[in-house]
Amino acid sequence: MKRTPAIDDLVLFVQVAQAGGLAGAARDSGISTPTLSRKMQTLEQDLGRHLFLRGPRGYGLTAEGRALLADLADLIPLKTRLSQLLQQDQTPEVRITAGSWTAAFLARRIPVRDTWAPAFVEATARLDIARRGADIGIRNQRPDQPWLAARRTRQISYRLYARSYDVEGYVALSRDAAQPPSARWLRDHHGDDIRATAGSVRLLADLALAGAGRVVLPCFAAADLPDLHPVSDPITDLGHEEWLVSHHEARHDPPVRAALDQIATILTKTGT
Amino acid sequence: MKRTPAIDDLVLFVQVAQAGGLAGAARDSGISTPTLSRKMQTLEQDLGRHLFLRGPRGYGLTAEGRALLADLADLIPLKTRLSQLLQQDQTPEVRITAGSWTAAFLARRIPVRDTWAPAFVEATARLDIARRGADIGIRNQRPDQPWLAARRTRQISYRLYARSYDVEGYVALSRDAAQPPSARWLRDHHGDDIRATAGSVRLLADLALAGAGRVVLPCFAAADLPDLHPVSDPITDLGHEEWLVSHHEARHDPPVRAALDQIATILTKTGT
DNA sequence: GGAGTGCGTTTCATTTATGAAAGCCAGCTT
DNA sequence: AAGCTGGCTTTCATAAATGAAACGCACTCC
């Protein structure tokens, strides 16, 4: 009969000790005095120590009981902290992984809700969703893993953009950055006329805005950059679908489902 | 069905979440998977939130579950800290209240034990023991409260002491200090020849050791001050009994009982 | 000094919690 | 495709916990 006592029973010990008896602790805790009496007895047995002096005036503490109380007294503030914590339901985060432009596009259009909060995470590996590193992902093709749920949202097309029609040359991603298809296409077709490079596509757009050269952009991204104008037709080689992906099970999580619906609305309402 | 969940169940939630499923948590916690399954279900009901995504690969966390886990993760170190705390039984303190000289006398003679540690507390009010502010007290008369257990130890007698026989005058307690009978006796009989005063009896003895005057001391205290010599017969007006007092119930507390026995031995073996 | 009060424990019927075994399901292996 | 494996849930009999009521005890009040 030497089990480790439950934390809740230790809390009751503190309450009994501080109340000076079972009656007071019963009022504080809502546990009946018979139960408290038995719990304190088994606690003493499990710990192998006499904690209380039972007298007609209530429960007094023994020397050992006092030593224990000193160690456990901070369980009471912990308990109140926990109950407060459980009352307030802080808005849960839904983790979204997407490419830079898609993330920026969503970030500008997701309405602020109190039912869930968006959390954009770096799309480091393609495995993010499978490994539960993210709840929602936006991919450029239908996922082949059977445990991923996916719905098609829109067709993505790319064009060349520039600050004005007389801008010459191109801006490209640095060679040491990850090379998405658009970057490879640019190097393949205009690699001999690159006027500037940057390590991120957002910086690339900034260069184009400064007139440093023409830039390949998905059309939807250009919608948020009114100072860039299309200077080419859609690049047929780069067009692709867009898929909204999530763990199949995650669809049963209300925040995730709400986020999926809202994101789908944003991605389908906004054409091209 | 909206009860506040038990702290131990919250710990189990963390264990399930961190283990990624019931099977792992069952190994960690020693609770069977059926019980864990039910506990997690009722936890979700009580909190009114979906915490888990139940899939064939185990338990995954929902967005809300992740938010809760972040708040509760530190319950695991708390639990380990508590179990370690309950393993080691730190030596309990027995609180002793006594007059200055008796406390000093005991402090020099109490053997160091690992079953209990002495803690001398200020004897501010006579009610210390009754109000459970101390476990053991040494009084100069039999207590009249019926709930105090008392045993007589020895007869205390007082003499005048001085560094040498040719020292003149007396040293006395300051008037603003509490006046024990010995101080009152000195003021009554030699109040016109006081050469120095101090606020505590220990300082008084120091003055006498410096030759500042004669001092009234209980004889047992003088035993620890070999440089002070008796310069009078015992003062009959000041003799009194000595009583070892404790709460009646406290006698059933092993550390207190051990302390009582050892103190009684010290106080009865050493005569006068 | 006898009734009253406050407190803790016991009794006992009821409720609740627990785990072994069986069942179930999805994915993986052969 | 049949069988296997790992993991969760349900069933069911058993064990444990719970609180109302009764009891006992010491002190207090009149």
Side-chain angles (χ1 to χ4, degrees):
Chain A
M1 248 245 221
K2 278 256 186 180
R3 289 174 42 218
T4 300
I7 298 181
D8 296 279
D9 290 349
L10 295 177
V11 172
L12 287 180
F13 161 75
V14 176
Q15 290 187 298
V16 169
Q18 290 182 343
L22 301 187
R27 276 187 291 274
D28 297 346
S29 65
I31 309 288
S32 67
T33 45
T35 299
L36 285 176
S37 171
R38 284 179 292 242
K39 273 189 182 299
M40 294 304 109
Q41 284 178 20
T42 60
L43 183 66
E44 283 181 317
Q45 279 194 10
D46 292 348
L47 262 54
R49 317 180 201 175
H50 289 292
L51 302 175
F52 295 110
L53 298 167
R54 284 154 240 258
R57 311 204 148 275
Y59 269 41
L61 284 176
T62 65
E64 289 187 302
R66 255 188 337 261
L68 186 64
L69 176 62
D71 286 335
L72 300 183
D74 55 346
L75 285 183
I76 297 296
L78 172 80
K79 187 171 175 59
T80 60
R81 188 178 71 82
L82 280 181
S83 16
Q84 290 177 353
L85 204 64
L86 298 179
Q87 295 300 326
Q88 62 185 25
D89 44 350
Q90 55 191 102
T91 60
E93 282 188 346
V94 175
R95 299 160 305 170
I96 304 164
T97 163
S100 303
W101 288 121
T102 312
F105 184 81
L106 287 176
R108 291 208 180 180
R109 286 165 181 77
I110 286 183
V112 178
R113 294 276 195 159
D114 54 352
T115 54
W116 63 278
F120 288 95
V121 298
E122 281 300 313
T124 51
R126 177 141 309 195
L127 303 162
D128 273 346
I129 294 184
R131 306 239 167 137
R132 285 275 164 66
D135 301 307
I136 294 176
I138 287 110
R139 303 277 179 81
N140 57 12
Q141 54 185 336
R142 161 174 245 136
D144 45 0
Q145 295 93 331
W147 57 77
L148 292 187
R151 70 171 104 166
R152 214 180 79 86
T153 48
R154 59 183 177 178
Q155 185 72 20
I156 305 296
S157 62
Y158 291 76
R159 291 185 187 212
L160 283 170
Y161 288 84
R163 189 181 61 174
S164 61
Y165 293 93
D166 55 357
V167 168
E168 296 186 341
Y170 301 88
V171 295
L173 269 185
S174 325
R175 286 194 183 277
D176 52 339
Q179 299 289 308
S182 59
R184 259 179 281 125
W185 177 89
L186 186 70
R187 297 243 174 227
D188 289 347
H189 291 78
H190 304 283
D192 54 349
D193 195 13
I194 290 171
R195 307 291 173 91
T197 66
S200 78
V201 292
R202 302 296 295 263
L203 276 174
L204 226 50
D206 290 330
L207 284 174
L209 282 168
R214 285 171 275 189
V215 63
V216 182
L217 282 184
C219 300
F220 71 84
D224 290 332
L225 301 168
D227 291 336
L228 286 184
H229 309 290
V231 293
S232 79
D233 287 332
I235 303 165
T236 51
D237 291 350
L238 289 179
H240 62 76
E241 296 177 329
E242 186 186 60
W243 289 80
L244 186 55
V245 179
S246 68
H247 225 105
H248 193 275
E249 300 163 6
R251 300 186 50 121
H252 304 131
D253 186 12
V256 173
R257 166 169 285 277
L260 276 172
D261 290 343
Q262 286 184 31
I263 292 175
T265 303
I266 293 169
L267 293 186
T268 50
K269 262 189 184 167
T270 323
T272 309
Chain B
M1 247 247 218
K2 281 256 186 178
R3 288 175 43 219
T4 301
I7 299 180
D8 296 278
D9 289 350
L10 296 177
V11 173
L12 287 180
F13 161 75
V14 176
Q15 290 187 297
V16 169
Q18 290 182 344
L22 302 186
R27 279 187 289 275
D28 296 345
S29 65
I31 309 287
S32 68
T33 46
T35 299
L36 285 177
S37 171
R38 284 179 292 242
K39 273 188 183 299
M40 294 305 107
Q41 283 177 18
T42 60
L43 183 66
E44 284 181 317
Q45 279 194 8
D46 293 347
L47 262 54
R49 317 180 201 175
H50 289 292
L51 302 175
F52 296 110
L53 296 167
R54 284 154 241 257
R57 311 204 149 274
Y59 271 41
L61 283 177
T62 65
E64 290 187 302
R66 254 188 338 261
L68 186 63
L69 176 63
D71 286 334
L72 300 183
D74 55 345
L75 285 183
I76 297 295
L78 172 80
K79 187 171 174 61
T80 59
R81 188 177 71 82
L82 280 181
S83 18
Q84 291 177 352
L85 202 65
L86 298 179
Q87 296 299 326
Q88 61 184 26
D89 44 350
Q90 53 192 107
T91 59
E93 283 188 343
V94 176
R95 298 160 305 170
I96 305 164
T97 165
S100 303
W101 288 122
T102 312
F105 185 82
L106 288 176
R108 291 208 178 179
R109 286 165 180 79
I110 285 183
V112 178
R113 293 276 196 158
D114 55 352
T115 55
W116 63 278
F120 288 96
V121 298
E122 281 299 315
T124 51
R126 176 143 309 193
L127 303 162
D128 273 347
I129 295 184
R131 305 237 168 140
R132 286 275 163 70
D135 301 307
I136 295 176
I138 287 109
R139 303 277 180 82
N140 58 12
Q141 55 186 336
R142 164 175 241 132
D144 44 2
Q145 294 93 330
W147 58 76
L148 294 186
R151 70 172 106 168
R152 215 180 79 87
T153 49
R154 58 182 178 180
Q155 186 73 20
I156 305 296
S157 62
Y158 290 78
R159 291 184 188 216
L160 284 169
Y161 288 86
R163 190 181 62 178
S164 63
Y165 293 93
D166 54 357
V167 167
E168 296 186 339
Y170 301 87
V171 293
L173 268 185
S174 323
R175 287 193 182 276
D176 52 341
Q179 299 289 309
S182 59
R184 260 181 278 122
W185 178 89
L186 187 72
R187 297 244 174 224
D188 288 347
H189 291 79
H190 305 284
D192 55 349
D193 196 14
I194 291 171
R195 306 291 173 92
T197 66
S200 78
V201 292
R202 301 295 295 262
L203 276 174
L204 225 51
D206 290 330
L207 284 174
L209 282 167
R214 285 170 274 190
V215 63
V216 183
L217 282 184
C219 299
F220 71 84
D224 290 332
L225 301 166
D227 291 335
L228 286 184
H229 309 289
V231 294
S232 78
D233 286 335
I235 304 167
T236 50
D237 293 348
L238 289 180
H240 61 75
E241 297 177 328
E242 186 185 60
W243 289 80
L244 186 55
V245 180
S246 69
H247 225 107
H248 193 273
E249 299 163 6
R251 299 187 51 123
H252 304 131
D253 185 12
V256 172
R257 166 169 285 278
L260 275 172
D261 289 343
Q262 287 183 30
I263 292 175
T265 304
I266 292 169
L267 292 185
T268 48
K269 263 188 184 168
T270 323
T272 308

